[in-house]
Amino acid sequence: MNRLVLARWREAACAYCRRILALPLNLVFPPVCTGCNAATTLHATLCASCWSGMHFIERPLCDILGIPLEFDEGDTIVSPFALAEPPPFARARSAVLHNGLGRSLVSRLKYGDQTQLAIPMARWMVRAGADLLPGADMVVPVPLHRRRLFVRRYNQAAELARHLAGLTSIAYRPMALERWRYTRTQVRLDRAKREENVAGAFRVPDSQRRHVAGRTVLLVDDVYTTGATARAATRALLRAGAQEVRLLTFSRVAAGVSPTHMMPVQNPGIE
C-alpha cells in the first residue's frame, strides 16, 4: 500500500473523527455553505446549488497543460498549445475553471482574509492532481516577495500548499523557492508583459538547494492565467537541480472554453 493510499485512509478516518467531535460545536456554530452561507450538514462544503455552479475540470483534458478539451480522443491527449510551446514543467492540473464561484473563492482567499477557504480548495486540488501526486517529493508554493507579503500578511499559495501537503503526507517546503526581485502585479498585463515582468524573479536559496536537487517538486499556486509565473518559477527550480516540476493550481483561465464543455461532476465525497 503506497504512501498516497495510506494518506487517503488516514484522511478518511480523521474526517470521521472530526464529524463526531464537531457535533457539539455545530450546535453553537452551525455549518454553512462555503459559497453562499446557506445551511449545510458539514463545515467547509458546498450546498447543492453552489456545487452545480462550480465548473470542475474533468477529462478529456490536455495531458501536459491540463486544458479541458471538448472531445475525447484517447487516454493521452496533447493539445496544440502544448505542442507549439512546450512548458518547462512536466504536467499541470487545475481543479476548476476561473469563473463564477471558482473565481470568487480565489478572490476571497487572496484579498478577503478568508484563509479558511484554503481547506476545501486544497481538497479539490488533491482530487484534480491525483496523477501528479505519486512520486512527488515536496510541495512548494509560488512565493510572494517580502514587500507584498508584509502588506497582505499571508501568501494564498502557501495556504493552499500547506493544507495540500497535510492531506497527502508529502513534505511541505515553503522556503525552497523565493521571489527575490519585486515585480508589479500581473493584473491587466498581456502575455508578453507578464513574461517580462517575472523573468528572473525567482531563485532557490543556497540553503535550500540540497533539498531541491534531484527531487520531483509539486509547485502550487492559486490561479493559472497565462502561465508566465509558473514557467519562471519552474525554471528557477530546474536551474537548482530539480529532477522534475509538476504544477497544481486551484483554478485556471481557459480562454475559449465554455462551461458547457465541462463534464458533469458527481460529488466525490470530499467535504
Side-chain angles (χ1 to χ4, degrees):
M1 190 175 295
N2 62 36
R3 182 174 60 182
L4 183 58
V5 173
L6 286 172
R8 287 177 174 172
W9 273 101
R10 186 182 69 176
E11 173 61 18
C14 290
Y16 177 78
C17 292
R18 285 196 299 267
R19 292 182 187 186
I20 298 299
L21 295 174
L23 290 177
L25 181 63
N26 288 347
L27 296 175
V28 181
F29 301 104
V32 295
C33 172
T34 298
C36 68
N37 290 328
T40 57
T41 57
L42 296 171
H43 291 281
T45 61
L46 294 175
C47 66
S49 176
C50 287
W51 184 269
S52 63
M54 185 87 88
H55 300 135
F56 290 90
I57 297 176
E58 293 290 297
R59 293 187 180 278
L61 49 78
C62 172
D63 188 59
I64 295 177
L65 292 176
I67 298 172
L69 303 174
E70 186 172 2
F71 301 106
D72 192 346
E73 300 178 0
D75 293 335
T76 301
I77 314 169
V78 178
S79 67
F81 304 101
L83 292 173
E85 188 179 357
F89 47 80
R91 285 179 295 166
R93 295 290 183 269
S94 302
V96 304
L97 282 182
H98 192 63
N99 58 22
L101 180 56
R103 181 173 184 170
S104 173
L105 290 177
V106 169
S107 180
R108 288 162 57 191
L109 171 64
K110 191 171 185 175
Y111 303 114
D113 288 342
Q114 297 186 38
T115 55
Q116 78 281 357
L117 294 176
I119 299 172
M121 292 166 72
R123 289 174 180 158
W124 295 322
M125 290 170 69
V126 168
R127 177 178 177 272
D131 56 344
L132 304 186
L133 301 176
D137 296 305
M138 64 183 70
V139 177
V140 176
V142 171
L144 292 177
H145 188 272
R146 61 181 179 274
R147 282 170 55 187
R148 185 158 286 127
L149 182 61
F150 177 79
V151 173
R152 193 174 295 169
R153 292 175 288 115
Y154 64 92
N155 177 6
Q156 72 281 353
E159 291 297 309
L160 293 170
R162 179 169 61 87
H163 289 292
L164 193 148
L167 291 168
T168 59
S169 296
I170 301 174
Y172 175 49
R173 293 204 174 275
M175 308 305 292
L177 186 66
E178 70 172 342
R179 190 186 297 242
W180 71 278
R181 183 171 63 79
Y182 185 77
T183 58
R184 58 177 171 153
T185 178
Q186 298 276 69
V187 177
R188 298 187 181 88
L189 296 182
D190 61 23
R191 180 186 174 89
K193 289 295 185 181
R194 284 172 179 256
E195 294 281 356
E196 180 182 345
N197 190 41
V198 296
F202 300 97
R203 67 184 178 190
V204 175
D206 291 340
S207 62
Q208 297 295 317
R209 285 179 173 268
R210 62 186 178 89
H211 299 299
V212 172
R215 303 295 200 276
T216 296
V217 178
L218 184 65
L219 183 65
V220 171
D221 205 357
D222 56 344
V223 184
Y224 185 109
T225 308
T226 65
T229 298
R231 288 189 290 271
T234 295
R235 292 187 183 105
L237 290 164
L238 293 175
R239 284 196 299 269
Q243 179 179 348
E244 181 177 281
V245 178
R246 304 166 185 175
L247 177 67
L248 182 56
T249 68
F250 173 70
S251 67
R252 73 163 296 133
V253 175
V257 178
S258 167
T260 59
H261 294 168
M262 298 299 95
M263 297 288 285
V265 180
Q266 299 298 319
N267 189 324
I270 303 175
E271 298 182 324

